[in-house]
Amino acid sequence: MSGKYFAPTGGHPGQDQLLTDRAIFTDAYAVIPKGTMRDIVTSYLPFWDNTRLWVIARPMTGFAETFSQYIMEVGPGGGSDQPEADAQAQAVLFVVEGTATLSVGGQTYDMVPGGYAYLPPSSGWTLRNDSEAMLRFHWIRKAYEPVPGLDAPDVIVTNDSDVAPTVMPETDGKWATTRFVDPADLRHDMHVTIVTFEPGAVIPFLETHVMEHGLYVLEGKAVYRLNSDWVEVEAGDYMWLRAFCPQACYAGGPGKFRYLLYKDVNRHMSLRPGGAR
């Protein structure tokens, strides 16, 4: 576990700064380093008060098409009573700084750093920052894919510190995944987890699979193999992977390497244009 998660604060680099950075966009992956998350690339949303956001992933034809991901920054007194305009959109929220007051299903939750919420479509949730400090959280959105005979998932509100990580087999405890949702629950068509590597841990093969990924580095640093390239990443960086992009990782230390991971799961592949199944 960790008591600290990286959150961007914006600002603008001085004229004395070199423009060299690690940002890259390819046909297979993108790396959006923390240094690109400045004031000039923020945006705003309807019905959100005292709030701005960084859009770090959005569906793009020919790239990753299943999800969007925002880093939300909500000032004191800000938030929204109408946060989601799409009735089919489900959400995962993950708090990295400050306190969010989440209301859903007639209950109210105070979410602190490490706070995780899964919100099914049309759940009528609202969110406010009732504190005097800045609130920053990730908001991952995906259009829910219903299956006849399966109910929609339930609301889940928990915290990173309250969920025991699952250790990957034959890794001596060096590689673990914090799973907020039961992988066997087929009502869910996306998983958002936290992956933790201890110093020296490695993904010892090039994962190559149909799931799309968004990986936001919460803590530490590592080198990541993306397609044919080795890329160094650190806390605050974001990796965005299309389906079948080969991927692996080596965590050299000195501390833990942890990232928030999105992937799409548990549904048939679309065989028709427009996504009909």
Side-chain angles (χ1 to χ4, degrees):
M1 304 301 174
S2 173
K4 182 65 175 177
Y5 307 92
F6 189 92
T9 57
H12 195 75
Q15 291 290 294
D16 58 340
Q17 298 295 304
L18 294 175
L19 60 81
T20 305
D21 205 340
R22 297 169 291 113
I24 186 169
F25 189 91
T26 74
D27 291 341
Y29 71 89
V31 175
I32 304 174
K34 64 181 181 182
T36 66
M37 297 182 200
R38 303 291 187 170
D39 292 349
I40 198 171
V41 293
T42 58
S43 187
Y44 301 89
L45 290 175
F47 311 116
W48 279 84
D49 306 322
N50 196 18
T51 299
R52 66 178 186 173
L53 68 151
W54 288 273
V55 177
I56 54 177
R58 52 157 289 182
M60 290 179 60
T61 301
F63 193 69
E65 301 184 346
T66 61
F67 75 108
S68 67
Q69 186 164 349
Y70 310 151
I71 302 176
M72 304 290 289
E73 183 181 78
V74 184
S80 179
D81 297 326
Q82 309 178 60
E84 178 57 75
D86 187 339
Q88 294 181 306
Q90 61 190 319
V92 164
L93 312 181
F94 185 81
V95 177
V96 289
E97 185 178 319
T99 302
T101 301
L102 172 69
S103 297
V104 60
Q107 297 193 48
T108 298
Y109 306 87
D110 289 330
M111 298 179 64
V112 297
Y116 167 102
Y118 170 77
L119 303 166
S122 299
S123 54
W125 61 279
T126 66
L127 185 141
R128 310 298 304 185
N129 178 6
D130 293 328
S131 75
E132 298 300 318
M134 194 67 73
L135 164 66
R136 296 182 175 96
F137 66 94
H138 286 256
W139 180 5
I140 297 170
R141 302 168 68 241
K142 180 182 185 296
Y144 183 65
E145 300 178 50
V147 175
L150 290 180
D151 294 332
D154 300 319
V155 171
I156 299 171
V157 182
T158 185
N159 192 284
D160 179 18
S161 62
D162 296 329
V163 180
T166 301
V167 175
M168 300 295 284
E170 301 179 16
T171 62
D172 298 322
K174 295 181 178 179
W175 174 10
T177 301
T178 302
R179 306 184 192 279
F180 301 102
V181 169
D182 181 355
D185 187 345
L186 297 185
R187 296 177 301 168
H188 288 271
D189 64 4
M190 71 170 178
H191 288 164
V192 177
T193 62
I194 294 177
V195 179
T196 301
F197 291 99
E198 299 290 344
V202 62
I203 298 177
F205 69 104
L206 280 174
E207 294 187 36
T208 309
H209 51 63
V210 71
M211 287 86 81
E212 300 176 348
H213 278 336
L215 301 89
Y216 178 83
V217 183
L218 296 166
E219 177 183 354
K221 63 179 182 176
V223 287
Y224 232 93
R225 176 68 178 265
L226 299 173
N227 202 11
S228 59
D229 307 316
W230 282 101
V231 178
E232 190 172 16
V233 293
E234 63 178 350
D237 292 348
Y238 185 70
M239 292 169 278
W240 187 17
L241 281 57
R242 67 179 298 175
F244 298 109
C245 175
Q247 59 201 262
C249 172
Y250 172 70
K256 291 181 180 181
F257 176 61
R258 307 189 80 215
Y259 56 81
L260 187 71
L261 173 70
Y262 161 88
K263 64 180 177 181
D264 50 308
V265 295
N266 298 343
R267 292 296 185 266
H268 279 296
M269 301 298 101
S270 174
L271 301 179
R272 298 170 182 83
R277 281 170 165 76

